[in-house]
């Protein structure tokens, strides 16, 4: 039997850095985590232990810090492209560089009676993260961006009715319920010539506006409505995918205490939860 290497990649994961951009009157602050994976002519490395074409993963880590020092870091998409280009330009044995980035968000603290943003004091924006995935080959560049852990909730304008009921169904229909989700979404661009920060802000605000303003018949329908709204608003997005866990809030039974629960008191539950996914893309017609 002859064995052949059919696929390979290697790299460094969870390379974290923080950077202060010191402006004349204020500071900007970024905190980013980077995953790097390289593919290429590494068959002899695997099959023969010949390391002459291996770029050490420790070198990849150091490269992140050096390029972070030199780069303006206006967006994680631009920074990821700079990293990918560096690895391909300096390593002829590499055919593809994949860079995944996640930015932890920090916001300026608002202080004083005038509620001004403090020039160098920040507060965490919670669990929300901005993400990007850069795939660069010798002849093609693909960029995805996303938002993770966008926790949203509406107290009405949501229901769930007319679903299948079998011998195991206990869920009661409702036309008025809490709808909450820890939204993860990512999208593809039509090109790389984009203001990535502006596009992300537009998508984020479109999702929030649409979620707030429409009546949800199901999480599935909400995903389609959100995706359609994003495509209508952002011409440079070709498709958008959502993962929306349904974070359940169960009405508490107050009848046992002689009281009526008018959709006021709920028990938040973490598990089990519904997980709904969907991708909305532009029609090929």
């Amino acid at each position: 039997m002859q064995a052949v290497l059919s696929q390979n990649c290697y790299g460094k994961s969870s390379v974290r850095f923080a950077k202060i951009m010191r402006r004349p009157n204020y500071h900007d602050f970024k905190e980013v985590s980077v995953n790097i994976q390289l593919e290429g002519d590494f068959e002899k490395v695997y099959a023969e232990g010949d390391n002459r074409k291996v770029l050490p993963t420790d070198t990849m880590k150091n490269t992140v810090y050096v390029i972070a020092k030199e780069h303006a870091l206006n967006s994680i998409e631009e920074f990821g492209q700079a990293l990918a280009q560096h690895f391909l330009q300096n390593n002829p044995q590499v055919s593809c560089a994949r860079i995944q980035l996640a930015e932890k968000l920090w916001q300026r603290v608002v202080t004083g009676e005038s509620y001004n943003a403090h020039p160098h004091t920040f507060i965490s924006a919670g669990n929300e993260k901005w993400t990007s995935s850069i795939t660069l080959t010798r002849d093609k560049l693909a960029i995805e961006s996303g938002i993770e852990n966008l926790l949203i909730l509406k107290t009405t304008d949501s229901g769930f009715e007319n679903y299948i009921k079998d011998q195991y169904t206990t869920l009661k229909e409702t036309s008025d319920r809490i709808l909450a989700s820890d939204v993860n979404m990512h999208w593809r661009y039509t090109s790389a010539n984009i203001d990535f920060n502006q596009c992300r802000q537009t998508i984020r605000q479109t999702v929030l506006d649409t979620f707030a303003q429409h009546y949800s018949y199901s999480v599935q329908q909400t995903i389609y409505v959100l995706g359609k709204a994003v495509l209508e608003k952002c011409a440079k997005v070709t498709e958008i995918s959502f993962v929306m866990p349904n974070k359940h809030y169960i009405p508490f039974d107050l009848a046992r205490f002689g009281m009526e629960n008018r959709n006021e008191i709920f028990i938040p539950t973490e598990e089990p939860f519904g997980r709904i996914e969907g991708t909305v893309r532009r029609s090929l017609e």
Side-chain angles (χ1 to χ4, degrees), residues 71-124:
H71 197 272
L73 210 62
N74 293 322
S75 71
I76 56 174
E77 288 84 0
E78 293 168 312
F79 178 67
Q81 288 181 72
L83 275 176
Q85 290 165 359
H86 171 89
F87 290 124
L88 257 69
Q89 289 172 0
N90 292 278
N91 295 275
Q93 77 280 19
V94 173
S95 60
C96 178
R98 291 189 173 88
I99 312 295
Q100 293 181 317
L101 308 102
E103 179 181 351
K104 182 177 180 179
L105 303 183
W106 292 92
Q107 298 173 343
R108 297 185 186 282
V109 169
V110 176
T111 61
E113 295 181 357
S114 58
Y115 299 103
N116 292 324
H118 197 275
H120 60 255
T121 304
F122 298 81
I123 186 171
S124 170

Side-chain angles (χ1 to χ4, degrees), residues 208-270:
L208 294 178
D209 291 344
T210 306
F211 181 82
Q213 293 166 4
H214 97 104
Y215 180 89
S216 173
Y217 293 96
S218 65
V219 179
Q220 289 88 336
Q221 182 237 358
T222 293
I223 284 177
Y224 178 79
V225 171
L226 296 179
K228 183 172 182 288
V230 168
L231 295 182
E232 290 173 349
K233 192 76 172 180
C234 304
K236 293 188 176 181
V237 172
T238 183
E239 71 175 30
I240 183 166
S241 298
F242 292 88
V243 177
M244 289 186 65
N246 194 354
K247 300 179 74 68
H248 300 297
Y249 286 76
I250 309 301
F252 181 72
D253 182 13
L254 289 172
R256 69 185 87 175
F257 305 110
M259 304 172 71
E260 181 181 359
N261 189 352
R262 299 174 180 173
N263 267 1
E264 297 167 299
I265 305 300
F266 300 84
I267 303 173
T269 61
E270 297 293 332

Side-chain angles (χ1 to χ4, degrees), residues 29-278:
F29 183 76
K30 298 267 190 177
E31 183 174 344
V32 181
S33 178
V34 182
N35 296 339
I36 304 162
Q37 288 290 306
L38 304 182
E39 296 180 17
D41 180 16
F42 297 119
E43 185 168 356
K44 287 187 177 181
V45 179
Y46 285 85
E48 302 176 15
D50 183 345
N51 293 330
R52 286 177 292 177
K53 291 185 178 181
V54 174
L55 181 70
T57 65
D58 188 68
T59 304
M60 298 181 197
K61 175 203 68 179
N62 294 339
T63 302
V64 171
Y65 299 133
V66 172
I67 293 185
K69 160 67 176 175
E70 298 174 340
H71 197 272
L73 210 62
N74 293 322
S75 71
I76 56 174
E77 288 84 0
E78 293 168 312
F79 178 67
Q81 288 181 72
L83 275 176
Q85 290 165 359
H86 171 89
F87 290 124
L88 257 69
Q89 289 172 0
N90 292 278
N91 295 275
Q93 77 280 19
V94 173
S95 60
C96 178
R98 291 189 173 88
I99 312 295
Q100 293 181 317
L101 308 102
E103 179 181 351
K104 182 177 180 179
L105 303 183
W106 292 92
Q107 298 173 343
R108 297 185 186 282
V109 169
V110 176
T111 61
E113 295 181 357
S114 58
Y115 299 103
N116 292 324
H118 197 275
H120 60 255
T121 304
F122 298 81
I123 186 171
S124 170
N127 292 327
E128 181 182 347
K129 290 182 179 180
W130 291 359
T131 64
S132 182
S133 177
I134 312 295
T135 302
L136 180 63
T137 65
R138 296 292 170 182
D139 56 7
K140 186 177 180 181
L141 170 65
I143 303 175
E144 289 189 8
S145 294
I147 298 175
E148 293 183 356
N149 304 324
L150 181 63
L151 184 58
I152 52 178
L153 179 149
K154 59 196 301 181
T155 56
T156 189
D157 276 349
S158 173
F160 191 49
E161 303 175 281
N162 301 317
Y163 44 81
I164 292 174
K165 302 175 185 67
D166 64 15
Q167 65 270 35
Y168 304 125
T169 302
T170 59
L171 184 69
K172 294 181 180 180
E173 292 190 355
T174 180
S175 60
D176 186 11
R177 66 172 182 172
I178 291 176
L179 177 60
S181 184
D182 200 4
V183 181
N184 292 319
M185 53 184 163
H186 61 90
W187 53 89
R188 296 179 182 270
Y189 298 105
T190 57
S191 73
N193 185 24
I194 292 171
D195 184 336
F196 296 105
N197 289 332
Q198 182 61 52
C199 189
R200 192 193 308 274
Q201 291 287 9
T202 299
I203 291 172
R204 186 181 187 278
Q205 193 59 51
T206 300
V207 166
L208 294 178
D209 291 344
T210 306
F211 181 82
Q213 293 166 4
H214 97 104
Y215 180 89
S216 173
Y217 293 96
S218 65
V219 179
Q220 289 88 336
Q221 182 237 358
T222 293
I223 284 177
Y224 178 79
V225 171
L226 296 179
K228 183 172 182 288
V230 168
L231 295 182
E232 290 173 349
K233 192 76 172 180
C234 304
K236 293 188 176 181
V237 172
T238 183
E239 71 175 30
I240 183 166
S241 298
F242 292 88
V243 177
M244 289 186 65
N246 194 354
K247 300 179 74 68
H248 300 297
Y249 286 76
I250 309 301
F252 181 72
D253 182 13
L254 289 172
R256 69 185 87 175
F257 305 110
M259 304 172 71
E260 181 181 359
N261 189 352
R262 299 174 180 173
N263 267 1
E264 297 167 299
I265 305 300
F266 300 84
I267 303 173
T269 61
E270 297 293 332
E271 298 175 345
F273 59 87
R275 178 186 168 97
I276 297 88
E277 302 183 24

